[in-house]
Coordinates of all heavy atoms in Angstrom, one line a residue:
E117 N -42.7 4.3 20.0 CA -43.5 3.2 19.6 C -44.3 2.6 20.7 O -45.3 1.8 20.5 CB -42.7 2.2 18.9 CG -41.6 1.6 19.8 CD -40.7 0.7 19.1 OE1 -41.1 -0.1 18.3 OE2 -39.4 0.7 19.3
F118 N -44.0 2.8 22.0 CA -44.6 2.2 23.2 C -45.8 3.1 23.6 O -46.5 2.7 24.4 CB -43.6 2.0 24.2 CG -42.7 0.8 24.0 CD1 -41.5 1.0 23.4 CD2 -43.0 -0.4 24.4 CE1 -40.6 0.0 23.2 CE2 -42.2 -1.5 24.1 CZ -41.0 -1.3 23.5
A145 N -50.1 -3.3 21.4 CA -48.9 -4.0 21.8 C -48.5 -5.2 20.9 O -47.4 -5.8 21.2 CB -49.0 -4.6 23.2
K146 N -49.2 -5.4 19.8 CA -49.0 -6.7 19.0 C -47.6 -6.7 18.3 O -47.1 -7.8 18.0 CB -50.1 -6.9 18.0 CG -50.2 -5.8 16.9 CD -51.3 -6.1 16.0 CE -51.3 -5.1 14.8 NZ -52.4 -5.4 13.8
D147 N -47.1 -5.5 18.0 CA -45.8 -5.4 17.3 C -44.7 -5.1 18.1 O -43.6 -4.7 17.7 CB -45.9 -4.5 16.1 CG -46.9 -4.9 15.0 OD1 -46.9 -6.2 14.8 OD2 -47.5 -4.2 14.4
L148 N -44.9 -5.0 19.5 CA -43.8 -4.7 20.4 C -43.2 -5.8 21.0 O -43.7 -6.8 21.3 CB -44.5 -3.7 21.5 CG -45.1 -2.5 21.0 CD1 -45.7 -1.8 22.3 CD2 -44.1 -1.5 20.4
P149 N -41.8 -5.8 21.3 CA -41.1 -6.8 21.8 C -41.3 -7.0 23.3 O -40.5 -6.6 24.2 CB -39.6 -6.6 21.5 CG -39.6 -5.0 21.6 CD -41.0 -4.6 20.9
I150 N -42.5 -7.4 23.8 CA -42.9 -7.4 25.2 C -43.0 -9.0 25.6 O -43.7 -9.7 25.0 CB -44.3 -6.8 25.4 CG1 -44.1 -5.3 25.1 CG2 -44.7 -7.0 26.9 CD1 -45.5 -4.6 25.2
Y151 N -42.2 -9.3 26.7 CA -42.2 -10.6 27.1 C -42.9 -10.8 28.5 O -43.1 -11.9 29.0 CB -40.8 -11.2 27.2 CG -40.3 -11.5 25.8 CD1 -40.0 -10.5 24.9 CD2 -40.2 -12.9 25.4 CE1 -39.5 -10.9 23.7 CE2 -39.7 -13.3 24.1 CZ -39.4 -12.2 23.2 OH -38.9 -12.5 22.0
T152 N -43.1 -9.7 29.2 CA -43.5 -9.8 30.6 C -45.0 -9.4 30.8 O -45.5 -8.6 29.9 CB -42.6 -9.0 31.6 OG1 -42.5 -7.7 31.1 CG2 -41.3 -9.6 31.6
P170 N -42.5 -1.2 28.4 CA -41.5 -2.2 27.9 C -41.0 -3.2 29.1 O -41.3 -2.9 30.3 CB -40.3 -1.4 27.5 CG -40.8 -0.1 27.2 CD -41.9 0.2 28.2
D171 N -40.4 -4.3 28.7 CA -40.0 -5.1 29.8 C -39.0 -4.4 30.7 O -38.1 -3.7 30.3 CB -39.3 -6.4 29.2 CG -40.3 -7.3 28.5 OD1 -41.4 -7.2 28.7 OD2 -39.8 -8.1 27.6
C324 N -35.2 -0.9 25.8 CA -36.6 -1.3 25.6 C -36.8 -2.7 25.5 O -37.9 -3.2 25.7 CB -37.2 -0.6 24.4 SG -37.3 1.2 24.5
S325 N -35.9 -3.6 25.1 CA -36.0 -4.9 24.9 C -34.7 -5.6 25.3 O -33.6 -5.1 25.2 CB -36.3 -5.3 23.3 OG -35.2 -4.8 22.6
F326 N -34.9 -6.9 25.9 CA -33.8 -7.5 26.5 C -33.9 -9.0 26.1 O -35.0 -9.6 26.0 CB -33.8 -7.5 28.1 CG -33.8 -6.0 28.6 CD1 -34.9 -5.3 28.7 CD2 -32.5 -5.5 28.8 CE1 -34.8 -4.0 29.2 CE2 -32.3 -4.2 29.3 CZ -33.5 -3.4 29.6
P359 N -32.6 -9.9 16.9 CA -32.7 -9.1 18.0 C -34.3 -9.1 18.4 O -35.1 -9.2 17.6 CB -32.3 -7.7 17.5 CG -31.4 -8.0 16.3 CD -31.9 -9.2 15.7
L360 N -34.5 -8.9 19.7 CA -35.8 -8.9 20.2 C -36.7 -8.0 19.5 O -38.0 -8.3 19.4 CB -35.8 -8.7 21.8 CG -35.3 -9.8 22.6 CD1 -35.4 -9.4 24.1 CD2 -36.0 -11.0 22.4
R361 N -36.2 -6.9 19.1 CA -37.2 -5.9 18.4 C -37.7 -6.6 17.1 O -38.7 -6.2 16.7 CB -36.4 -4.7 18.1 CG -37.3 -3.4 17.6 CD -36.6 -2.3 17.8 NE -36.2 -1.9 19.1 CZ -37.2 -1.5 19.9 NH1 -38.4 -1.3 19.6 NH2 -36.8 -1.1 21.2
D362 N -37.0 -7.4 16.6 CA -37.4 -8.1 15.3 C -37.9 -9.4 15.5 O -38.4 -10.1 14.6 CB -36.2 -8.2 14.2 CG -35.7 -6.7 13.9 OD1 -36.5 -5.8 13.9 OD2 -34.4 -6.6 13.8
S363 N -37.8 -10.0 16.7 CA -38.2 -11.4 16.9 C -39.5 -11.5 17.4 O -40.3 -10.5 17.6 CB -37.2 -12.0 18.1 OG -37.5 -11.3 19.3
S365 N -42.7 -12.3 19.6 CA -43.2 -12.3 21.0 C -44.5 -13.3 21.1 O -45.5 -13.0 20.5 CB -43.6 -10.9 21.5 OG -44.1 -11.0 22.8
L368 N -48.1 -12.0 23.9 CA -49.3 -11.1 23.8 C -50.6 -11.6 23.4 O -51.6 -11.2 23.9 CB -48.8 -9.9 22.8 CG -47.5 -9.2 23.2 CD1 -47.3 -8.1 22.2 CD2 -47.8 -8.5 24.5
W374 N -47.0 -11.7 14.2 CA -45.6 -11.2 13.6 C -45.6 -11.5 12.2 O -45.8 -10.7 11.3 CB -44.5 -11.7 14.5 CG -44.4 -11.0 15.8 CD1 -45.3 -11.3 16.9 CD2 -43.7 -10.0 16.3 NE1 -45.0 -10.5 17.9 CE2 -44.0 -9.7 17.6 CE3 -42.6 -9.3 15.7 CZ2 -43.4 -8.8 18.3 CZ3 -42.0 -8.3 16.5 CH2 -42.3 -8.0 17.8

Side-chain angles (χ1 to χ4, degrees):
E117 61 185 321
F118 289 89
K146 66 179 181 179
D147 294 324
L148 299 176
I150 299 172
Y151 283 74
T152 55
D171 293 341
C324 291
S325 58
F326 299 89
L360 286 183
R361 188 165 297 284
D362 301 323
S363 64
S365 172
L368 299 177
W374 292 73

